[in-house]
Every structure is written in structure tokens, then in C-alpha cells.
Amino acid sequence: MKKLLIYPLLALLFVAGTSCDNGFDELNTNKTAVTALNPAFMLNNAVINASFPGGTLVYEMGIVQHIVTPNSGVLTGANYNQDNRNVTQEIWQRYYRSVIRNTADAINSTKNNPNRSNLLNMARIFQAYGFMVLTDTYGDVPYFQAGKGFTDQAVLPKYDAQEAIYTDIIKELTEATAALDATKTRETADILYGGDIAKWKRLGNSLLLRAGMRLSKVNANLAQQTVQKAVQGGVMQSNADNAVVRHNANYVNGLGSTLNATEANNYYLAAPFVNYLKSTNDPRLRAIAVRYVGAASGPEQVPARANTDPAVQIGMPLGFDNTGITAQAKAEGLASFYEYSQLDRTRLAKLQSAMFLVTHSQTQLLLAEAVQRGWVQGTIANHYTAGVRAHMEQLAENDPGSAVPAAAIDAYLAANPFDASKALEQINTQYWISSLMNGPEAFANFRRSGFPNLTPNPFPGKGIKGNFIRRLTYPNSEVSVNSTNLKEATARMGVDDLDTRVWWDK
């Protein structure tokens, strides 16, 4: 009798148990949580974070003498030709953590999905761009194992030789650009070009042109072949093709953030840059510069004192610390060093100013040099003129107040025509101007071309042996955590200091 009672009881408990479990998984599932991330958003995150951090004011823009500060401490860098690893790490951290990681995730998420092949190849192109910035800045860097900490558990990635990196970058750009197909899915969520395949192809080929020209001193044959491939594929045709990060209230311009915050009174346009623009009556000076006439202190840099007239602009000379520049300003008849000209933070360097990564202007100037070298067909003067005009027209995108009138552009080009006897110097000096605010690219092309002809910073306490900084040093985190792989790289490349040249910088 007892057994007869036990069996119905067990059955009842079983039913009750299964009834309670029914819907349990659904009940414990967060219906608002993201279960799958669109890889297009990963690529977008990479693009947004490719905008340069404020540290490029300290080193890259200082090395090429666009910008200078007389201050030390956290701002020590190109102003004194000294190492400051709290700043040299900024590009490394930004690009590995937020550019390469996201492009690698986008590639990994789309590589087996033929419906997202365009997104895959867009991510490959942008990843190649990111790696170019990294290797041009530091030399040998983690490449083949980079961005694979999660997928391959490569948490201590090996460093690769820059020559091998460039070989693969050229391969990636060539293959990915050719594989883009306008008949396949258009990735409309893409914030760079809205999925426009023609523009992505022109970006890929323009980057290929840049990569080829970067090798002009170290491997002329490969450089020529790469440049020819890029031109045959079709490069940027107008400013509408520019690769540009457009900032907003949520994603602000890193340079603008620095120049509109605590460092507003600490950075000035360098005298060599201002003097060159004045010497050629360049209308861009009015679009770029502001001088707070009579300012005796930072708080006196007020709108009422702001003057954008090119005739009154005075660039800050290099080679002075905070004490020395005070005396120098007095010797020049200024109320204080706060009277020197600055990059206008109300126009060109606003919080929401655009950041131009690859431009039609730069591309045309590289083409001018490629024609001059006999690598491709064309008219040097036409490419040169188009490059200068494109940059002048580009300035209006940041602020209407920075627009250069068409008549002023025509007058400048008429007064400063292309001079074949100074071709390389003239082309690359214009590239220097065109790359203002893109410190990494200005720094790379200065080392590659040797132009403009800059006088070394005369600061007496410099920490370098040569005349100019040739690369940035690795982060302290790599020194302490990934030391074995870093030591292998420095044994191959050279000492981890500011004097060691990257592979293509001969």
C-alpha cells in the first residue's frame, strides 16, 4: 500500500519540477542586452578612435615645427628634444586598444560571411592604415599577432620587422581594395563613407600610394611598383574623398580638447611655420592663426585681443624654456610670451573640428613627386597645383571663418608657381603645410623626404645625439610586461631611444 502511494507522489514531484523549469531560461535572459554586435560598429569605433590624441602636439607637431611650447614637466618632448614616455605611449595605446583591436574584431567577425565581404575588406584597409601609423611612429611593432589576444590568446605579441610589416600592408591594401564589390551588400552604417565602395577603393589606393612613397629611399623598385598599382587602381579625386573623422559633442577632437582646456595658453605656432607662410603671402595663415595682441598673461587671451591679420602674426622661436622665452618675448617687444601666435582654437582647433587622416591634397602632392621621379605619367605642376588648392579649400570644413576665398587661392598659385628646379623641396614643403594637425603623417613625410629644410631646435639641454628626433620610444608597459619580445626587436632595430631610425628612414 505504501508503495502505491510513493509512486504517485514521485510523479507529482517530477511534473512540478519540470513545470517550474519551464520558461526558466527565458525568465533569466536579459531581453535588452546585446547578444551580437554588428561588426560595422566595430569598424566605426576604430575610425572614431583613429583621431589623434593631444600628445601629438608634444612630439610629432613639435618635431616638424608646426607647434611649440616652452613648458617642461608633462609637456616635455620635442620642445627640449627629450624623452617623455608618458606622452610617447599615447599613439601606441590609442591605436592598439581602440583601432587595431576593433578592426581585428571586425575582420574576425566577417571573414567567413560572404554577405559581409565589403565590410571585411573595408576593415582590412583601415587596419592597414592603423598599422602604418604605428610602425611609422615606433619602427618594429607587434603586427601579425596584434589584436589576437582573445582569439589566439596572443597576450604577449611578438614584434615584427618593419620591412615585413610594410610588405604585408602593401599586400593587404592591394587585395582588400581589389576585392571591394559595389554589387554586393552596401554597409550603410559605415561612418567614414556610408558604405560607398568607390570612395573606399580610392582610399585603399591612396593609402597604397602613401605606402609606396614611404619606401622611396629604402627600396625604390618596390616603391615604384606600388605607386604604379595605386595610380592604376584610382586614387582620391576631390576633397569629397577625404578620410576624415567628424567629431561631435560625444566624440571630441583630441587636439581641440587639449587646446581648449588646461593647455590653452601653453602651445604656440612655431616661428619657422609662421615665417614660411608669411614669406609667401600664404592666405592660409589667416585661416590658421590668431594672436592675442597685448596679452600679458593667459587670462588676457580674450576675444577682444584676438587678431587674425597675417601681418601681425609672430611665431614662437624654438630653443627656449619657460624662463628663456619670457626674456625673448621682451626682447621682441611683446608684453609676454602669451602674445605669440597660436593655432586658432575657436576655428581650426575647436572641440568638434574634423580630423583629416588621408586627403586629396596629400595624395595629389605625392603624385606630383611620383611623376617627378618618373614612376608614373602626368604633369607635375598640375598635381602640385591641385594639391595646394585642395588643402586651401579643405580648411573651410572646420569653420566658415577658416575658408580661403577662391580669388586668394588663385593669387597665391600665380605668385608661387611650381618651380621644377626645386621640385622635391617645393612639393614636400607643401605636404608639410597640408598635414597640419596630422602630426604622425607630417613627421613621417619629413623623415622620408628631408623637407622642409628645418633648422634643428637649438635647445641646449637636448637628450638626442642627432639633429632631429627620428622615432618615438616604446611605452613603459611594454618594457615591463612584454620585455622579451621588445628586446628581440631592439636587438634587430636598434636602441629604444629617440635617435634610432625606422627601417625606411635612411
Side-chain angles (χ1 to χ4, degrees):
M1 185 68 178
K2 290 182 180 178
K3 291 182 179 179
L4 293 175
L5 290 172
I6 290 172
Y7 292 136
L9 180 60
L10 290 173
L12 181 62
L13 289 171
F14 177 77
V15 172
T18 55
S19 297
C20 289
D21 188 60
N22 186 28
F24 182 81
D25 290 340
E26 182 180 357
L27 180 66
N28 286 277
T29 299
N30 185 345
K31 296 182 179 180
T32 63
V34 175
T35 57
L37 182 63
N38 184 344
F41 299 152
M42 299 174 190
L43 177 57
N44 286 346
N45 202 22
V47 171
I48 291 168
N49 283 284
S51 186
F52 304 116
T56 57
L57 292 161
V58 177
Y59 275 100
E60 291 94 324
M61 294 181 69
I63 296 166
V64 301
Q65 301 179 10
H66 281 154
I67 296 284
V68 66
T69 177
N71 297 332
S72 58
V74 297
L75 302 186
T76 296
N79 53 347
Y80 299 158
N81 277 325
Q82 294 177 359
D83 195 5
N84 178 357
R85 297 196 184 215
N86 288 326
V87 180
T88 60
Q89 68 181 351
E90 287 193 16
I91 284 289
W92 183 285
Q93 292 179 341
R94 170 71 67 86
Y95 268 62
Y96 273 118
R97 293 175 181 178
S98 301
V99 178
I100 302 305
R101 187 190 70 179
N102 280 290
T103 53
D105 285 349
I107 290 168
N108 189 58
S109 298
T110 56
K111 63 183 180 181
N112 296 319
N113 185 350
N115 292 325
R116 308 299 294 274
S117 62
N118 279 333
L119 182 59
L120 167 65
N121 290 298
M122 289 153 55
R124 290 172 70 190
I125 290 170
F126 204 78
Q127 181 166 271
Y129 162 77
F131 275 124
M132 281 183 67
V133 173
L134 284 163
T135 190
D136 291 345
T137 301
Y138 300 99
D140 293 7
V141 296
Y143 179 79
F144 292 104
Q145 292 184 344
K148 296 180 180 179
F150 178 74
T151 57
D152 295 14
Q153 288 73 55
V155 294
L156 296 175
K158 292 189 64 175
Y159 285 59
D160 297 292
Q162 189 177 59
E163 182 175 5
I165 292 171
Y166 256 92
T167 298
D168 200 69
I169 283 174
I170 290 169
K171 177 189 76 69
E172 282 293 288
L173 288 171
T174 302
E175 292 179 358
T177 303
L180 289 168
D181 188 343
T183 67
K184 295 183 178 179
T185 303
R186 176 166 177 159
E187 298 290 344
T188 56
D190 156 42
I191 62 170
L192 198 57
Y193 295 123
D196 188 323
I197 294 303
K199 289 185 177 181
W200 270 101
K201 278 183 173 288
R202 289 195 282 270
L203 171 62
N205 286 315
S206 297
L207 280 170
L208 192 61
L209 170 65
R210 179 182 285 187
M213 294 302 295
R214 200 77 92 224
L215 308 185
S216 58
K217 290 193 296 186
V218 71
N219 190 335
N221 288 335
L222 179 58
Q224 180 176 357
Q225 293 167 15
T226 305
V227 167
Q228 289 173 344
K229 285 182 187 176
V231 173
Q232 289 167 4
V235 297
M236 290 179 173
Q237 298 299 306
S238 71
N239 280 338
D241 292 332
N242 288 342
V244 53
V245 182
R246 294 180 172 83
H247 298 93
N248 56 34
N250 296 315
Y251 299 99
V252 299
N253 183 306
L255 303 188
S257 179
T258 298
L259 295 176
N260 283 281
T262 56
E263 310 302 342
N265 315 126
N266 292 330
Y267 285 103
Y268 295 84
L269 287 173
F273 184 66
V274 172
N275 292 343
Y276 183 81
L277 295 181
K278 291 183 76 171
S279 71
T280 57
N281 292 317
D282 196 316
R284 284 172 287 193
L285 185 57
R286 184 184 294 275
I288 290 166
V290 63
R291 181 173 162 231
Y292 294 94
V293 179
S297 65
E300 290 190 14
Q301 289 184 339
V302 294
R305 295 182 183 276
N307 193 325
T308 60
D309 183 355
V312 307
Q313 303 307 318
I314 304 174
M316 179 177 280
L318 283 74
F320 297 95
D321 60 12
N322 195 271
T323 300
I325 198 62
T326 299
Q328 177 63 23
K330 184 177 180 180
E332 293 187 52
L334 304 181
S336 71
F337 72 76
Y338 297 100
E339 259 205 280
Y340 286 112
S341 298
Q342 292 182 298
L343 186 69
D344 195 338
R345 55 186 180 268
T346 69
R347 295 181 296 157
L348 207 64
K350 296 183 298 187
L351 288 173
Q352 297 186 24
S353 289
M355 182 68 74
F356 293 86
L357 307 178
V358 186
T359 68
H360 173 49
S361 171
Q362 293 167 332
T363 301
Q364 287 296 310
L365 292 169
L366 290 178
L367 284 174
E369 180 176 341
V371 174
Q372 195 276 336
R373 289 179 178 275
W375 291 352
V376 292
Q377 298 296 312
T379 304
I380 307 173
N382 289 349
H383 288 301
Y384 171 83
T385 299
V388 176
R389 183 181 297 277
H391 182 247
M392 291 188 177
E393 293 174 346
Q394 172 190 312
L395 291 170
E397 185 163 340
N398 281 324
D399 191 274
S402 288
V404 180
I409 298 175
D410 291 340
Y412 174 83
L413 291 170
N416 300 276
F418 174 70
D419 182 351
S421 67
K422 300 177 180 178
L424 289 179
E425 179 180 3
Q426 196 173 24
I427 291 166
N428 286 289
T429 299
Q430 286 296 330
Y431 200 96
W432 173 59
I433 301 170
S434 181
S435 299
L436 177 68
M437 296 184 71
N438 186 335
E441 182 57 23
F443 179 37
N445 199 67
F446 170 62
R447 287 174 289 162
R448 178 195 71 84
S449 69
F451 296 111
N453 281 317
L454 298 176
T455 300
N457 182 343
F459 185 76
K462 70 178 185 177
I464 60 174
K465 300 180 184 69
N467 290 328
F468 293 95
I469 293 170
R470 309 308 299 191
R471 64 177 283 275
L472 300 193
T473 50
Y474 296 123
N476 283 328
S477 58
E478 285 293 295
V479 175
S480 60
V481 176
N482 199 14
S483 59
T484 299
N485 289 320
L486 188 149
K487 287 177 182 177
E488 181 185 344
T490 55
R492 176 177 58 236
M493 181 182 70
V495 179
D496 180 22
D497 62 19
L498 301 173
D499 284 294
T500 294
R501 292 172 181 257
V502 301
W503 165 71
W504 52 254
D505 180 19
K506 301 298 183 185

